Amino acid sequence: MEQKLRSRTSLASLAVVIIFVAGAISKAEDGYRLWLRYDPLPRQTIESYRPRITSIVVPGDSATLAAIRTELVSGCSGLLGSKVPVADEVNRDGAVIAGTPKSSPEIGRLGWERQLADLGPEGFRVRAIRLGRHSVTVIAANTEVGALYGVFHFLRLMQTLQPINRLDVTQKPRMQLRMLDHWDNLDGSIERGYAGRSLWDWKALPENVNPRLRDYARANASLGINGSVVNNVNANSIFLSAEYLRKVAAIADTFRPYGVRVYLSPRFSAPIELGGLKTADPFDQEVATWWKKKADEIYQAIPDFGGFLVKANSEGQPGPRTYNRNHVDGANMLAAALAPHRGVVIWRAFVYDAKPGYDRAAAAYDNLQPFDGQFAPNVLLQVKNGPIDFQPREPFHPLFGAMPKTQLMPEFQITQEYLGFSNHLVFLPQMWREVLDSDTYAKGPGSTVTKIIDGSLYGQRLTGMAGVANTGSDRNWTGHHFAQANWYAFGRLAWNPDLASRQIAGEWISMSLTHDARAADTITRIMLESHEALVDYMTPLGLHHIMWGGHHYGPAPWWDTEPRADWNPVYYHRADDRGLGFDRTEKGSNAVSQYYAQVRDRFANLNSCPEKFLLWFHHVPWEYRLLTGRTMWDELAVRYQRGVEWTRTTRKHWDALSGVIDAQRHAEVAKKLAIQERDSIWWRDACLLYFQNFSKRPLPKGVEPPAKTLEEYKAKSLEWK
Ligand code: GCV
């Protein structure tokens, strides 16, 4: 009888295990849950965590405390595979307590005021301690949002299988403004968006707020992202109307518990379009008053409104120069309107005049650098990572380090405008790290871009980092499952710009894809190699902006029909019978002189210029020998080929992971990798065939002959759908 019972029990538990495992595997993995999937961890890990997590103690009833409670309960219960109860106070070993000294009497009694004081409004402390007779984990901060960040950190430790029994962690963000810039339009389209429509449904707002907005805010909070500019910098004045401010306020209400503030991109000419004024001249008293009143109205509706992000006098946008004023005049006028409310103005440095014969790479510096020291204290200048425009690879922007008395913040592009949209797998932190680690020599060696933007080099008071968002209404948020990793990585780097790409990749894989160590190794390698590979098959050796005009998908180095010279690829690569590349040395545009001497000299000399930037700074003869001993032409061809080979190998390695990665995401990624291979071949062939017209040299050994003729590549753009 006993025997029977035992076997029945074990059969029953086997059934539970089977159902549980089958449930975990068969659950649709459509990518919606991002890196916040709280599925059961490996058994051994669960066993080691379980005694440390027996109850959740989060007293208080604010919206943020409720979010903390929900997150801890669903996170811990999900990861441990069994419900963790909520308790009012610590009454057993393994309680997890979260909050502030004010919200939680038990945290209040710890006497941590001094330690917390150093952590500012957003830092947190996570510590395993003894509280009375019990071993507990405390997650404490000065503010509730700080505690929420601590909770996400604690959950991340579990999701990445880190030990939690001797925790003693303190963290605070290095950057104050950690922002996503959405280029979302009034009609729901997204400029350079490749993952569906805008997340904000302007017609339904403010009455109906899509529950997805809460998940968006939550995902951002899990990374520490604390700002969201909800409309396109190519702005429409309507967003500042009373009707739209009510809609924006509804979004802000949804984001607030998660510490995400809303910002807007105002159209500089709004006083005319909305206010009925005759001018938007920043020196006109009526204009300044209009903006002040508008700011008051905004803060009435949204008390924690973040501020304005402004694209002015760039690509047809109005701005102060329309009225013969300058950037400082425009920025400071808006800053004065926001200052009483503690709002900020983020003024974009993406300004390039269409002057005949000029070098676009030098334009932002020429336009903005002379104003160093003149911007108001609540103005930041937002500078793209490189001097042209989010290319697959650019040297760092020469404005970094060149404006010691101006608050600079970098703008990265998470959405892949020039990097294969949401079709190509490319892990962007590799590229961002290159910029962050670049030494500007602004104050001698070691003056990295990171040290400029985190305020440590010049004592910059207000700091920030912006990323142009890659999110949209697609079920998986970002179009490509791996593009989620770039959103994740951006947030992590904005919190800590020293994080290594490998660590970020490892975290993301563990949280989003798999705990299988061998699979994780393969995927990490793919991710870390992906940027260099994409550069190889798109723009090796410093080539840039040779994409098809307008949409920027696929190659068109022959393109020369845009009305502005600097919108045409031929302007950038300057291929001729002698060689290839843009001469930015003294003999050419001399844009290289904008860098500090050590950098300038290294880039300006053909022999010391890093080969990855060769054609960015030099017009290089086809027969010039590179470090490999190959001629420039041969090296170019070999790199294009190498890029193609990477896409092929990657497909094979990914295919081998079938069965380890859930079926839906595995298949969807495999499909995208097939497109990436097709595109890489197209890139290689189109570019080499076109450049061959100038080099008049054969393809070197090992480089495959093109699949089509140049005329065929020219006839029709590569398709991305
Ligand atoms: C929002 C590039 C893009 C534009 C974008 C612009 C900018 O030119 O192609 O779509 O406009 O950058 O950053 O303002």
Side-chain angles (χ1 to χ4, degrees), residues 584-598:
R584 297 198 159 104
T585 69
E586 235 180 338
K587 293 185 273 87
S589 75
N590 205 21
V592 72
S593 66
Q594 293 176 340
Y595 291 99
Y596 281 86
Q598 290 88 333

mmCIF file with all atom_site columns, all heavy atoms in Angstrom, residues 584-598:
data_model
loop_
_atom_site.group_PDB
_atom_site.id
_atom_site.type_symbol
_atom_site.label_atom_id
_atom_site.label_alt_id
_atom_site.label_comp_id
_atom_site.label_asym_id
_atom_site.label_entity_id
_atom_site.label_seq_id
_atom_site.pdbx_PDB_ins_code
_atom_site.Cartn_x
_atom_site.Cartn_y
_atom_site.Cartn_z
_atom_site.occupancy
_atom_site.B_iso_or_equiv
_atom_site.pdbx_formal_charge
_atom_site.auth_seq_id
_atom_site.auth_comp_id
_atom_site.auth_asym_id
_atom_site.auth_atom_id
_atom_site.pdbx_PDB_model_num
ATOM 1   N N   . ARG A 1 584 ? 40.090 65.001 -45.266 1.00 0.00 ? 584 ARG A N   1
ATOM 2   C CA  . ARG A 1 584 ? 39.745 65.990 -44.235 1.00 0.00 ? 584 ARG A CA  1
ATOM 3   C C   . ARG A 1 584 ? 41.004 66.518 -43.557 1.00 0.00 ? 584 ARG A C   1
ATOM 4   O O   . ARG A 1 584 ? 40.959 67.051 -42.450 1.00 0.00 ? 584 ARG A O   1
ATOM 5   C CB  . ARG A 1 584 ? 38.782 65.367 -43.215 1.00 0.00 ? 584 ARG A CB  1
ATOM 6   C CG  . ARG A 1 584 ? 37.456 64.947 -43.826 1.00 0.00 ? 584 ARG A CG  1
ATOM 7   C CD  . ARG A 1 584 ? 36.344 64.723 -42.823 1.00 0.00 ? 584 ARG A CD  1
ATOM 8   N NE  . ARG A 1 584 ? 35.054 64.820 -43.464 1.00 0.00 ? 584 ARG A NE  1
ATOM 9   C CZ  . ARG A 1 584 ? 34.259 63.794 -43.786 1.00 0.00 ? 584 ARG A CZ  1
ATOM 10  N NH1 . ARG A 1 584 ? 34.629 62.565 -43.497 1.00 0.00 ? 584 ARG A NH1 1
ATOM 11  N NH2 . ARG A 1 584 ? 33.105 64.003 -44.391 1.00 0.00 ? 584 ARG A NH2 1
ATOM 12  N N   . THR A 1 585 ? 42.150 66.334 -44.225 1.00 0.00 ? 585 THR A N   1
ATOM 13  C CA  . THR A 1 585 ? 43.396 66.867 -43.688 1.00 0.00 ? 585 THR A CA  1
ATOM 14  C C   . THR A 1 585 ? 43.541 68.315 -44.168 1.00 0.00 ? 585 THR A C   1
ATOM 15  O O   . THR A 1 585 ? 42.675 68.847 -44.866 1.00 0.00 ? 585 THR A O   1
ATOM 16  C CB  . THR A 1 585 ? 44.604 66.041 -44.173 1.00 0.00 ? 585 THR A CB  1
ATOM 17  O OG1 . THR A 1 585 ? 44.770 66.277 -45.584 1.00 0.00 ? 585 THR A OG1 1
ATOM 18  C CG2 . THR A 1 585 ? 44.395 64.554 -43.933 1.00 0.00 ? 585 THR A CG2 1
ATOM 19  N N   . GLU A 1 586 ? 44.666 68.885 -43.825 1.00 0.00 ? 586 GLU A N   1
ATOM 20  C CA  . GLU A 1 586 ? 44.979 70.269 -44.223 1.00 0.00 ? 586 GLU A CA  1
ATOM 21  C C   . GLU A 1 586 ? 44.864 70.476 -45.723 1.00 0.00 ? 586 GLU A C   1
ATOM 22  O O   . GLU A 1 586 ? 44.477 71.527 -46.197 1.00 0.00 ? 586 GLU A O   1
ATOM 23  C CB  . GLU A 1 586 ? 46.412 70.558 -43.801 1.00 0.00 ? 586 GLU A CB  1
ATOM 24  C CG  . GLU A 1 586 ? 46.539 71.774 -42.936 1.00 0.00 ? 586 GLU A CG  1
ATOM 25  C CD  . GLU A 1 586 ? 48.000 71.989 -42.568 1.00 0.00 ? 586 GLU A CD  1
ATOM 26  O OE1 . GLU A 1 586 ? 48.787 71.002 -42.617 1.00 0.00 ? 586 GLU A OE1 1
ATOM 27  O OE2 . GLU A 1 586 ? 48.346 73.117 -42.263 1.00 0.00 ? 586 GLU A OE2 1
ATOM 28  N N   . LYS A 1 587 ? 45.206 69.411 -46.469 1.00 0.00 ? 587 LYS A N   1
ATOM 29  C CA  . LYS A 1 587 ? 45.147 69.519 -47.935 1.00 0.00 ? 587 LYS A CA  1
ATOM 30  C C   . LYS A 1 587 ? 43.702 69.469 -48.436 1.00 0.00 ? 587 LYS A C   1
ATOM 31  O O   . LYS A 1 587 ? 43.416 69.847 -49.555 1.00 0.00 ? 587 LYS A O   1
ATOM 32  C CB  . LYS A 1 587 ? 45.947 68.380 -48.589 1.00 0.00 ? 587 LYS A CB  1
ATOM 33  C CG  . LYS A 1 587 ? 47.445 68.459 -48.348 1.00 0.00 ? 587 LYS A CG  1
ATOM 34  C CD  . LYS A 1 587 ? 48.170 67.366 -49.118 1.00 0.00 ? 587 LYS A CD  1
ATOM 35  C CE  . LYS A 1 587 ? 48.270 66.047 -48.367 1.00 0.00 ? 587 LYS A CE  1
ATOM 36  N NZ  . LYS A 1 587 ? 47.270 65.060 -48.403 1.00 0.00 ? 587 LYS A NZ  1
ATOM 37  N N   . GLY A 1 588 ? 42.824 68.991 -47.581 1.00 0.00 ? 588 GLY A N   1
ATOM 38  C CA  . GLY A 1 588 ? 41.412 68.903 -47.958 1.00 0.00 ? 588 GLY A CA  1
ATOM 39  C C   . GLY A 1 588 ? 40.571 69.883 -47.143 1.00 0.00 ? 588 GLY A C   1
ATOM 40  O O   . GLY A 1 588 ? 40.901 71.063 -47.054 1.00 0.00 ? 588 GLY A O   1
ATOM 41  N N   . SER A 1 589 ? 39.510 69.352 -46.493 1.00 0.00 ? 589 SER A N   1
ATOM 42  C CA  . SER A 1 589 ? 38.608 70.261 -45.756 1.00 0.00 ? 589 SER A CA  1
ATOM 43  C C   . SER A 1 589 ? 39.212 70.731 -44.432 1.00 0.00 ? 589 SER A C   1
ATOM 44  O O   . SER A 1 589 ? 38.727 71.676 -43.827 1.00 0.00 ? 589 SER A O   1
ATOM 45  C CB  . SER A 1 589 ? 37.298 69.537 -45.461 1.00 0.00 ? 589 SER A CB  1
ATOM 46  O OG  . SER A 1 589 ? 37.491 68.604 -44.407 1.00 0.00 ? 589 SER A OG  1
ATOM 47  N N   . ASN A 1 590 ? 40.211 70.047 -43.972 1.00 0.00 ? 590 ASN A N   1
ATOM 48  C CA  . ASN A 1 590 ? 40.859 70.327 -42.683 1.00 0.00 ? 590 ASN A CA  1
ATOM 49  C C   . ASN A 1 590 ? 39.916 70.182 -41.479 1.00 0.00 ? 590 ASN A C   1
ATOM 50  O O   . ASN A 1 590 ? 40.169 70.762 -40.421 1.00 0.00 ? 590 ASN A O   1
ATOM 51  C CB  . ASN A 1 590 ? 41.499 71.721 -42.679 1.00 0.00 ? 590 ASN A CB  1
ATOM 52  C CG  . ASN A 1 590 ? 42.642 71.792 -41.668 1.00 0.00 ? 590 ASN A CG  1
ATOM 53  O OD1 . ASN A 1 590 ? 43.194 70.755 -41.265 1.00 0.00 ? 590 ASN A OD1 1
ATOM 54  N ND2 . ASN A 1 590 ? 43.004 72.988 -41.248 1.00 0.00 ? 590 ASN A ND2 1
ATOM 55  N N   . ALA A 1 591 ? 38.863 69.401 -41.631 1.00 0.00 ? 591 ALA A N   1
ATOM 56  C CA  . ALA A 1 591 ? 37.975 69.150 -40.483 1.00 0.00 ? 591 ALA A CA  1
ATOM 57  C C   . ALA A 1 591 ? 38.744 68.492 -39.340 1.00 0.00 ? 591 ALA A C   1
ATOM 58  O O   . ALA A 1 591 ? 38.388 68.649 -38.168 1.00 0.00 ? 591 ALA A O   1
ATOM 59  C CB  . ALA A 1 591 ? 36.816 68.262 -40.905 1.00 0.00 ? 591 ALA A CB  1
ATOM 60  N N   . VAL A 1 592 ? 39.807 67.801 -39.675 1.00 0.00 ? 592 VAL A N   1
ATOM 61  C CA  . VAL A 1 592 ? 40.584 67.102 -38.645 1.00 0.00 ? 592 VAL A CA  1
ATOM 62  C C   . VAL A 1 592 ? 41.181 68.086 -37.636 1.00 0.00 ? 592 VAL A C   1
ATOM 63  O O   . VAL A 1 592 ? 41.458 67.731 -36.489 1.00 0.00 ? 592 VAL A O   1
ATOM 64  C CB  . VAL A 1 592 ? 41.689 66.228 -39.318 1.00 0.00 ? 592 VAL A CB  1
ATOM 65  C CG1 . VAL A 1 592 ? 42.812 67.081 -39.889 1.00 0.00 ? 592 VAL A CG1 1
ATOM 66  C CG2 . VAL A 1 592 ? 42.218 65.167 -38.376 1.00 0.00 ? 592 VAL A CG2 1
ATOM 67  N N   . SER A 1 593 ? 41.314 69.341 -38.032 1.00 0.00 ? 593 SER A N   1
ATOM 68  C CA  . SER A 1 593 ? 41.908 70.342 -37.128 1.00 0.00 ? 593 SER A CA  1
ATOM 69  C C   . SER A 1 593 ? 40.984 70.648 -35.947 1.00 0.00 ? 593 SER A C   1
ATOM 70  O O   . SER A 1 593 ? 41.397 71.313 -34.999 1.00 0.00 ? 593 SER A O   1
ATOM 71  C CB  . SER A 1 593 ? 42.200 71.629 -37.894 1.00 0.00 ? 593 SER A CB  1
ATOM 72  O OG  . SER A 1 593 ? 40.975 72.206 -38.299 1.00 0.00 ? 593 SER A OG  1
ATOM 73  N N   . GLN A 1 594 ? 39.740 70.182 -35.990 1.00 0.00 ? 594 GLN A N   1
ATOM 74  C CA  . GLN A 1 594 ? 38.832 70.442 -34.869 1.00 0.00 ? 594 GLN A CA  1
ATOM 75  C C   . GLN A 1 594 ? 39.153 69.567 -33.654 1.00 0.00 ? 594 GLN A C   1
ATOM 76  O O   . GLN A 1 594 ? 38.641 69.801 -32.574 1.00 0.00 ? 594 GLN A O   1
ATOM 77  C CB  . GLN A 1 594 ? 37.385 70.205 -35.306 1.00 0.00 ? 594 GLN A CB  1
ATOM 78  C CG  . GLN A 1 594 ? 36.910 71.214 -36.346 1.00 0.00 ? 594 GLN A CG  1
ATOM 79  C CD  . GLN A 1 594 ? 35.503 70.922 -36.843 1.00 0.00 ? 594 GLN A CD  1
ATOM 80  O OE1 . GLN A 1 594 ? 35.017 69.813 -36.710 1.00 0.00 ? 594 GLN A OE1 1
ATOM 81  N NE2 . GLN A 1 594 ? 34.871 71.924 -37.417 1.00 0.00 ? 594 GLN A NE2 1
ATOM 82  N N   . TYR A 1 595 ? 39.976 68.553 -33.859 1.00 0.00 ? 595 TYR A N   1
ATOM 83  C CA  . TYR A 1 595 ? 40.341 67.691 -32.727 1.00 0.00 ? 595 TYR A CA  1
ATOM 84  C C   . TYR A 1 595 ? 41.562 68.269 -32.014 1.00 0.00 ? 595 TYR A C   1
ATOM 85  O O   . TYR A 1 595 ? 42.327 69.043 -32.596 1.00 0.00 ? 595 TYR A O   1
ATOM 86  C CB  . TYR A 1 595 ? 40.657 66.275 -33.218 1.00 0.00 ? 595 TYR A CB  1
ATOM 87  C CG  . TYR A 1 595 ? 39.436 65.533 -33.733 1.00 0.00 ? 595 TYR A CG  1
ATOM 88  C CD1 . TYR A 1 595 ? 39.168 65.445 -35.095 1.00 0.00 ? 595 TYR A CD1 1
ATOM 89  C CD2 . TYR A 1 595 ? 38.551 64.916 -32.854 1.00 0.00 ? 595 TYR A CD2 1
ATOM 90  C CE1 . TYR A 1 595 ? 38.054 64.764 -35.576 1.00 0.00 ? 595 TYR A CE1 1
ATOM 91  C CE2 . TYR A 1 595 ? 37.432 64.227 -33.324 1.00 0.00 ? 595 TYR A CE2 1
ATOM 92  C CZ  . TYR A 1 595 ? 37.188 64.162 -34.680 1.00 0.00 ? 595 TYR A CZ  1
ATOM 93  O OH  . TYR A 1 595 ? 36.073 63.496 -35.146 1.00 0.00 ? 595 TYR A OH  1
ATOM 94  N N   . TYR A 1 596 ? 41.757 67.882 -30.756 1.00 0.00 ? 596 TYR A N   1
ATOM 95  C CA  . TYR A 1 596 ? 42.958 68.290 -30.023 1.00 0.00 ? 596 TYR A CA  1
ATOM 96  C C   . TYR A 1 596 ? 44.195 67.717 -30.717 1.00 0.00 ? 596 TYR A C   1
ATOM 97  O O   . TYR A 1 596 ? 44.112 66.686 -31.394 1.00 0.00 ? 596 TYR A O   1
ATOM 98  C CB  . TYR A 1 596 ? 42.873 67.818 -28.574 1.00 0.00 ? 596 TYR A CB  1
ATOM 99  C CG  . TYR A 1 596 ? 41.985 68.727 -27.749 1.00 0.00 ? 596 TYR A CG  1
ATOM 100 C CD1 . TYR A 1 596 ? 40.603 68.529 -27.710 1.00 0.00 ? 596 TYR A CD1 1
ATOM 101 C CD2 . TYR A 1 596 ? 42.513 69.813 -27.055 1.00 0.00 ? 596 TYR A CD2 1
ATOM 102 C CE1 . TYR A 1 596 ? 39.775 69.378 -26.987 1.00 0.00 ? 596 TYR A CE1 1
ATOM 103 C CE2 . TYR A 1 596 ? 41.691 70.674 -26.336 1.00 0.00 ? 596 TYR A CE2 1
ATOM 104 C CZ  . TYR A 1 596 ? 40.324 70.451 -26.306 1.00 0.00 ? 596 TYR A CZ  1
ATOM 105 O OH  . TYR A 1 596 ? 39.507 71.307 -25.608 1.00 0.00 ? 596 TYR A OH  1
ATOM 106 N N   . ALA A 1 597 ? 45.335 68.393 -30.516 1.00 0.00 ? 597 ALA A N   1
ATOM 107 C CA  . ALA A 1 597 ? 46.542 68.123 -31.309 1.00 0.00 ? 597 ALA A CA  1
ATOM 108 C C   . ALA A 1 597 ? 46.899 66.636 -31.433 1.00 0.00 ? 597 ALA A C   1
ATOM 109 O O   . ALA A 1 597 ? 47.146 66.156 -32.543 1.00 0.00 ? 597 ALA A O   1
ATOM 110 C CB  . ALA A 1 597 ? 47.713 68.905 -30.731 1.00 0.00 ? 597 ALA A CB  1
ATOM 111 N N   . GLN A 1 598 ? 46.898 65.923 -30.299 1.00 0.00 ? 598 GLN A N   1
ATOM 112 C CA  . GLN A 1 598 ? 47.325 64.516 -30.357 1.00 0.00 ? 598 GLN A CA  1
ATOM 113 C C   . GLN A 1 598 ? 46.405 63.699 -31.267 1.00 0.00 ? 598 GLN A C   1
ATOM 114 O O   . GLN A 1 598 ? 46.866 62.847 -32.022 1.00 0.00 ? 598 GLN A O   1
ATOM 115 C CB  . GLN A 1 598 ? 47.326 63.875 -28.962 1.00 0.00 ? 598 GLN A CB  1
ATOM 116 C CG  . GLN A 1 598 ? 48.411 64.377 -28.038 1.00 0.00 ? 598 GLN A CG  1
ATOM 117 C CD  . GLN A 1 598 ? 47.957 65.611 -27.265 1.00 0.00 ? 598 GLN A CD  1
ATOM 118 O OE1 . GLN A 1 598 ? 47.097 66.376 -27.710 1.00 0.00 ? 598 GLN A OE1 1
ATOM 119 N NE2 . GLN A 1 598 ? 48.562 65.831 -26.113 1.00 0.00 ? 598 GLN A NE2 1
#
